[in-house]
Amino acid sequence: MYHISFFLICCCMFFLVIPHSKLSTIAATSVDIIDQTCKKCADEFDVISYMVCATSLQAVPVSHVTNLQGLALIAMELALGNATNTLSTIEKLSSNKSFDPFALVCLKDCLQLYSDAITTLRDAVGAFLREDYGTANIWVSAVKEAPTTCEEGFKEKEGEVSPLKNENYNLFQLCDIALCISHLLKYSGSTFLTGCSAT
């Protein structure tokens, strides 16, 4: 399970001030917003899994009362949570004496990659909150190198199995989901978003 900070919840609510009279309408359409957003992302980006997108966003309560900007922030926070949890996992695996020297070297490389990724994701969130979406996107794109490089390290030795395969896949997915939603913000006045928003 990914941790969603109280700070992020406040930020997402800031993006969407909800009049009391519209609460029921938003509750009825919130799942549709997530569903349509994830379908759009899966259609436009072959690497994005609809299931990962939908289940990840729907699992976060605040996602049901926010807008597209809030969803992008949530995806970034999910990526940050994934990277933070994976860093802890790598530290535990590094002390496991059952791994051979090659795997331990790979884990050491992954540790540095994920440590850098956490810092970069925090910077990306800060840039996004300043509405500097271009910079945020550049940093989120850079983070994708962490799981890719980490995974490829294990593949350099034939027969070596990465113990971080799922974690690497999930971080890559979450970064792409965040980038896709940020991309969709460019079309905030389009039919796609109009159909998703509360009236």
Side-chain angles (χ1 to χ4, degrees):
M1 176 178 290
Y2 302 119
H3 172 70
I4 299 298
S5 67
F6 177 75
F7 171 72
L8 177 75
I9 293 174
C10 293
C11 290
C12 290
M13 293 306 295
F14 171 78
F15 279 127
L16 181 62
V17 179
I18 309 171
H20 183 270
S21 61
K22 294 187 177 182
L23 281 174
S24 60
T25 304
I26 290 174
T29 60
S30 59
V31 175
D32 289 336
I33 295 172
I34 296 171
D35 180 65
Q36 292 187 44
T37 299
C38 290
K39 283 182 178 177
K40 188 76 172 177
C41 288
D43 288 343
E44 292 193 6
F45 299 89
D46 292 338
V47 295
I48 292 180
S49 162
Y50 167 80
M51 287 303 298
V52 172
C53 179
T55 55
S56 297
L57 294 178
Q58 288 176 4
V60 181
V62 73
S63 69
H64 299 285
V65 289
T66 192
N67 56 13
L68 207 57
Q69 289 167 306
L71 288 181
L73 268 178
I74 289 169
M76 290 182 194
E77 180 77 4
L78 287 171
L80 181 57
N82 169 280
T84 302
N85 290 339
T86 301
L87 190 67
S88 297
T89 298
I90 295 171
E91 290 173 342
K92 293 177 182 177
L93 290 174
S94 296
S95 63
N96 190 330
K97 296 181 180 180
S98 65
F99 287 107
D100 61 31
F102 175 81
L104 290 174
V105 170
C106 291
L107 287 170
K108 183 179 179 180
D109 291 340
C110 292
L111 185 71
Q112 184 60 55
L113 287 165
Y114 269 83
S115 180
D116 292 343
I118 290 170
T119 299
T120 304
L121 279 168
R122 287 172 178 162
D123 290 340
V125 170
F128 191 90
L129 289 173
R130 296 192 302 271
E131 298 185 3
D132 185 357
Y133 301 138
T135 298
N137 290 345
I138 289 171
W139 281 335
V140 173
S141 294
V143 170
K144 291 168 59 179
E145 292 298 318
T148 301
T149 304
C150 174
E151 193 67 22
E152 288 177 349
F154 289 95
K155 294 179 180 179
E156 291 180 3
K157 180 181 178 181
E158 185 176 354
E160 191 74 35
V161 179
S162 169
L164 301 169
K165 183 176 181 179
N166 291 335
E167 289 85 349
N168 288 330
Y169 173 78
N170 287 333
L171 179 58
F172 193 91
Q173 282 284 309
L174 291 168
C175 286
D176 266 341
I177 291 166
L179 288 169
C180 176
I181 298 174
S182 181
H183 170 73
L184 293 178
L185 285 171
K186 297 178 182 179
Y187 307 99
S188 58
S190 69
T191 302
F192 167 71
L193 289 178
T194 301
C196 292
S197 61
T199 56

